[in-house]
Amino acid sequence: MSAFHLQIVTPDGSFFDGEAERVIVRAIDGDICILPRHIPYVTALAMGEARVTVDGKVRRAAANGGMLAVTGDKVRIVASTFEWAEDIDKERAARARAAAEEQMKAAKDDKELQLAKAKLMRALTRLKVSE
């Protein structure tokens, strides 16, 4: 199967740099799939599960926001966070979920509620991907 060069970077640095056969990520308007020879494309990423196919094997990850750009035979993802399923600390994610639920209950205004909802969504995404 043909492949393309995939680079994933986060604020912590280079996360992945190599050949991939397919990438599925959550864009702000829904899931998208990038295959070799894709047209030039740029989109904002939302929070959700990502799937990267390398050497015929699918790796799942939790991704949180950022941008995706396709130019020629290169795909670059600049993500706020990107975490492989096997690296997710399930206990920590469960604690984050509980804390976010408590923050939602205690929210005093819409800003606090929206922040708590975002934290809950991130924790739920990490828990789903880690299973």
Side-chain angles (χ1 to χ4, degrees), residues 85-119:
E86 62 270 16
D87 296 335
I88 293 173
D89 182 338
K90 293 177 188 177
E91 291 177 12
R92 182 172 164 241
R95 288 192 306 271
R97 175 187 177 180
E101 289 170 341
E102 288 301 315
Q103 288 176 352
M104 285 177 65
K105 291 177 188 174
K108 296 179 179 123
D109 57 34
D110 191 52
K111 184 177 180 181
E112 286 182 10
L113 180 61
Q114 294 305 317
L115 180 60
K117 283 182 179 180
K119 289 179 181 181

Side-chain angles (χ1 to χ4, degrees), residues 53-70:
T53 304
V54 176
D55 294 328
K57 296 178 184 169
V58 178
R59 293 190 72 187
R60 299 171 66 214
N64 181 15
M67 297 291 294
L68 174 138
V70 180

Side-chain angles (χ1 to χ4, degrees), residues 32 38-44 67-71:
I32 59 168
H38 197 286
I39 64 169
Y41 183 72
V42 175
T43 190
M67 297 291 294
L68 174 138
V70 180
T71 54

